[in-house]
Amino acid sequence: MATNTELLPFHHQTTLAVLNNLNNSHCGGSNSNNGGNGGGGAATSAGGGAAVGGGAGAPSWAAIDELYQQTELPVLTRAGATGTTHHHLLRFTPYALHHRPPPHHHHQLQTLPPALYLQHAAAAAAAAAAAAAHAQHHHHHHHHLPHRPASPESPPPAEGTHISNLFPELLEQIFEHLPVRDLGRAAQVCTAWRDAAYAKSVWKGVEAKLHLKRSSPSLFNCLVKRGIKKVQILSLRRSLKDLVLGVPALTSLNLSGCFNVADMNLGHAFSVDLPNLKTLDLSLCKQITDTSLGRIAQHLRNLETLELGGCCNITNTGLLLIAWGLKKLKHLNLRSCWHISDQGIGHLAGFSRETAEGNLQLEYLGLQDCQRLSDEALGHIAQGLTSLKSINLSFCVSVTDSGLKHLARMPKLEQLNLRSCDNISDIGMAYLTEGGSGINSLDVSFCDKISDQALTHIAQGLYRLRSLSLNQCQITDQGMLKIAKALHELENLNIGQCSRITDKGLQTLAEDLTNLKTIDLYGCTQLSSKGIDIIMKLPKLQKLNLGLWLVR
């Protein structure tokens, strides 16, 4: 006799057995694998379950099974057969189990109390589900069990408790803080995140770094779609004109280090007006000449920042073109433009008004390593470029103390770099302090004629200093005392390679300069661990440089 039994453990080690197929004495039929020929028979279905046929007048077991297949809740029913006693059939779940205990011809089925009934019904349902999952992973079992119906989907989270409930505007504000690589990953999560990651506000200020090797109209369309307006070219093998036309809203173009950029490239790219372009970096484009500056002055009228560092073929004529066309220029870097002289600075300052009015709105002027400049150039700057806030004269070896008299007349000057200007001495500091009280950053590093006397002048006149660099100057602990008593707003102090500074000087600094955040003591050979411990106690200290490889 084929049976399909579901077992439920019960207290007092009692086992409830449910038989889907009764023996012939109860059902009145003969068992056969192919079905019964008499009034009733048992047949094994293709799905691995058992269907039982009853005799005349008996309830249809298949119908009862079909009824029970509609629910997983436990149901207590009573079924009867003609000429037989009624049996209490307990049905818990529609799933069959593997376990087949030996058939019993006589079963005493028990009726459960309601509380235990529900408790054991839940346990039976869990056991049946585990058995069904086990059967799906082991195909060597004799019976192929039916798949468990899919579990219902979890209810959606309560509104406002999940990131998916955020408004797109909030997502965009979050994505604004992500680096570009993480933005790309976030865009792959879902469509909502993709749309938020592609918003123009998220890409505001991002600079795209490109290798222009072939024509890429789709790339330029992508930049426009995201609202990217800043581009750095890492290598150039195609025409720049494709870029400036493909991204018409371009505001910043960085070509620094592209050694193959020449006048022909820029002439082709800047053949039309580009009113939106405000920043152009041509640093180390050494093939650039005054011809390119003519194109720039003609078609980039709204340019505010121009980097020409290392463009050693630029001459005074190029500066005349800049003074003629770039009236809105605020930042100009001419580092290592060796052909520039005092006359070219005069063009910028507006001393050739018959041809050019000058760049009177300049706020930063970088003249580092322009060795042909003299004190006369500083006179032009002081007279014409009155809006200047920062000037870099480092390595301008022809500038002397007399030139600093001119700079002292500039009320808006805030930052002055005189590093390695060999002809600057204590007297020049005296001239500077006569009217340069607005200066907050001064660098006289490697000016070996600067001594404690210069610090006396600085303490008396440059009392607003926040940054002071004195690397390799001839200063002692006495000079440290002068600045410690006067420069209470000082935040950055560089005194590296000042070999005459001792622990006493550091003691003075630690007592009075409580706002110090950065101090450079590299190469100060007279210091001991005691002095270092003293300076380390500064309340706002963030960076302490003790050597080339040791930074605390």
Side-chain angles (χ1 to χ4, degrees):
M1 179 185 69
T3 61
N4 186 5
T5 308
E6 295 180 3
L7 300 180
L8 176 65
F10 188 60
H11 59 293
H12 302 301
Q13 300 181 353
T14 303
T15 301
L16 294 181
V18 179
L19 301 181
N20 290 337
N21 297 334
L22 300 180
N23 54 30
N24 292 336
S25 61
H26 291 159
C27 295
S30 59
N31 296 327
S32 172
N33 289 336
N34 297 323
N37 296 325
T44 302
S45 66
V52 181
S60 171
W61 290 98
I64 294 177
D65 278 347
E66 181 179 358
L67 175 64
Y68 292 133
Q69 292 290 342
Q70 298 174 6
T71 178
E72 291 187 0
L73 295 177
V75 179
L76 187 63
T77 61
R78 183 184 301 271
T82 303
T84 62
T85 60
H86 294 321
H87 295 273
H88 294 280
L89 299 181
L90 186 60
R91 185 84 175 199
F92 292 106
T93 69
Y95 308 115
L97 301 181
H98 317 318
H99 185 67
R100 283 180 176 273
H104 298 280
H105 295 284
H106 302 284
H107 298 275
Q108 183 65 34
L109 302 182
Q110 304 182 19
T111 303
L112 297 178
L116 291 177
Y117 186 94
L118 295 177
Q119 175 183 356
H120 293 299
H134 179 75
Q136 292 178 1
H137 293 84
H138 296 80
H139 300 287
H140 60 276
H141 292 298
H142 297 290
H143 297 282
H144 179 70
L145 301 179
H147 294 288
R148 177 173 182 155
S151 300
E153 295 183 1
S154 301
E159 184 175 356
T161 62
H162 192 267
I163 192 170
S164 62
N165 299 121
L166 293 178
F167 291 109
E169 294 81 6
L170 294 179
L171 274 179
E172 292 173 13
Q173 292 185 20
I174 294 173
F175 288 169
E176 287 176 8
H177 301 280
L178 295 180
V180 175
R181 179 175 297 180
D182 291 341
L183 272 178
R185 293 170 177 168
Q188 301 177 35
V189 173
C190 61
T191 55
W193 283 33
R194 180 198 61 194
D195 295 340
Y198 285 176
K200 291 185 177 181
S201 61
V202 173
W203 296 87
K204 184 178 180 180
V206 173
E207 183 180 58
K209 300 182 179 182
L210 309 176
H211 294 275
L212 286 187
K213 297 181 179 180
R214 60 182 66 88
S215 181
S216 303
S218 60
L219 171 62
F220 301 145
N221 292 336
C222 183
L223 297 180
V224 172
K225 180 180 178 181
R226 287 164 174 75
I228 295 178
K229 301 179 181 180
K230 298 181 180 180
V231 174
Q232 179 182 2
I233 304 301
L234 302 178
S235 62
L236 180 64
R237 296 183 184 178
R238 299 289 302 182
S239 173
L240 276 174
K241 191 170 185 179
D242 295 339
L243 173 63
V244 297
L245 294 180
V247 188
L250 192 67
T251 61
S252 175
L253 178 59
N254 187 347
L255 294 167
S256 60
C258 293
F259 303 108
N260 58 334
V261 173
D263 292 335
M264 182 178 64
N265 302 99
L266 297 185
H268 190 223
F270 301 149
S271 59
V272 296
D273 290 344
L274 300 174
N276 294 317
L277 194 60
K278 295 184 178 181
T279 301
L280 178 62
D281 191 344
L282 298 174
S283 301
L284 298 177
C285 296
K286 297 186 176 182
Q287 299 185 49
I288 297 300
T289 68
D290 297 335
T291 303
S292 293
L293 295 185
R295 285 284 191 176
I296 292 171
Q298 182 179 0
H299 296 291
L300 278 62
R301 296 274 183 167
N302 293 328
L303 206 62
E304 297 180 358
T305 299
L306 180 59
E307 294 279 348
L308 296 173
C311 298
C312 52
N313 291 318
I314 300 299
T315 68
N316 293 331
T317 303
L319 297 190
L320 180 61
L321 293 169
I322 291 174
W324 166 74
L326 305 181
K327 301 293 192 305
K328 298 181 180 181
L329 199 63
K330 296 181 179 180
H331 181 108
L332 178 61
N333 190 354
L334 300 170
R335 174 178 53 85
S336 299
C337 293
W338 298 316
H339 297 296
I340 290 175
S341 65
D342 300 336
Q343 182 184 8
I345 302 301
H347 295 325
L348 298 179
F351 281 85
S352 304
R353 292 192 179 275
E354 65 280 1
T355 55
E357 296 180 2
N359 307 100
L360 306 184
Q361 296 187 28
L362 269 181
E363 297 179 357
Y364 172 84
L365 181 59
L367 300 173
Q368 177 182 355
D369 198 28
C370 295
Q371 300 186 9
R372 296 181 62 185
L373 298 182
S374 66
D375 297 336
E376 183 182 352
L378 301 188
H380 297 328
I381 291 172
Q383 187 174 350
L385 303 178
T386 55
S387 298
L388 210 60
K389 296 181 180 179
S390 178
I391 182 171
N392 187 345
L393 295 168
S394 58
F395 297 95
C396 292
V397 295
S398 299
V399 173
T400 68
D401 294 332
S402 298
L404 299 187
K405 291 182 180 180
H406 303 298
L407 299 183
R409 303 198 310 264
M410 302 183 67
K412 295 184 178 180
L413 189 63
E414 298 178 354
Q415 299 176 354
L416 178 60
N417 190 337
L418 298 169
R419 176 182 289 248
S420 296
C421 291
D422 297 336
N423 292 314
I424 299 297
S425 67
D426 299 338
I427 298 175
M429 292 297 101
Y431 292 149
L432 184 63
T433 57
E434 290 177 357
S437 59
I439 296 176
N440 57 46
S441 177
L442 176 64
D443 189 346
V444 289
S445 298
F446 305 102
C447 297
D448 54 9
K449 296 180 181 179
I450 297 294
S451 66
D452 290 340
Q453 186 62 40
L455 298 186
T456 301
H457 298 311
I458 290 173
Q460 293 174 352
L462 304 182
Y463 49 85
R464 294 183 181 177
L465 277 180
R466 294 179 179 271
S467 177
L468 178 60
S469 294
L470 300 164
N471 294 320
Q472 206 171 347
C473 293
Q474 306 302 315
I475 57 177
T476 66
D477 295 338
Q478 190 64 28
M480 293 295 98
L481 178 62
K482 297 292 184 181
I483 64 174
K485 297 301 181 181
L487 307 181
H488 299 294
E489 297 183 11
L490 200 64
E491 297 178 353
N492 303 310
L493 178 62
N494 299 322
I495 52 176
Q497 300 183 55
C498 295
S499 57
R500 299 167 69 181
I501 301 293
T502 67
D503 294 344
K504 182 180 179 181
L506 293 189
Q507 177 71 40
T508 303
L509 296 178
E511 291 175 356
D512 297 303
L513 299 182
T514 55
N515 288 320
L516 270 181
K517 297 179 180 179
T518 301
I519 183 168
D520 182 4
L521 300 175
Y522 166 70
C524 296
T525 56
Q526 298 299 318
L527 300 179
S528 67
S529 58
K530 179 180 179 181
I532 301 301
D533 292 338
I534 292 173
I535 207 69
M536 288 285 288
K537 295 179 181 179
L538 283 168
K540 297 183 180 180
L541 190 65
Q542 298 176 357
K543 183 178 179 181
L544 173 61
N545 185 11
L546 297 175
L548 187 60
W549 303 109
L550 180 59
V551 179
R552 291 186 181 180

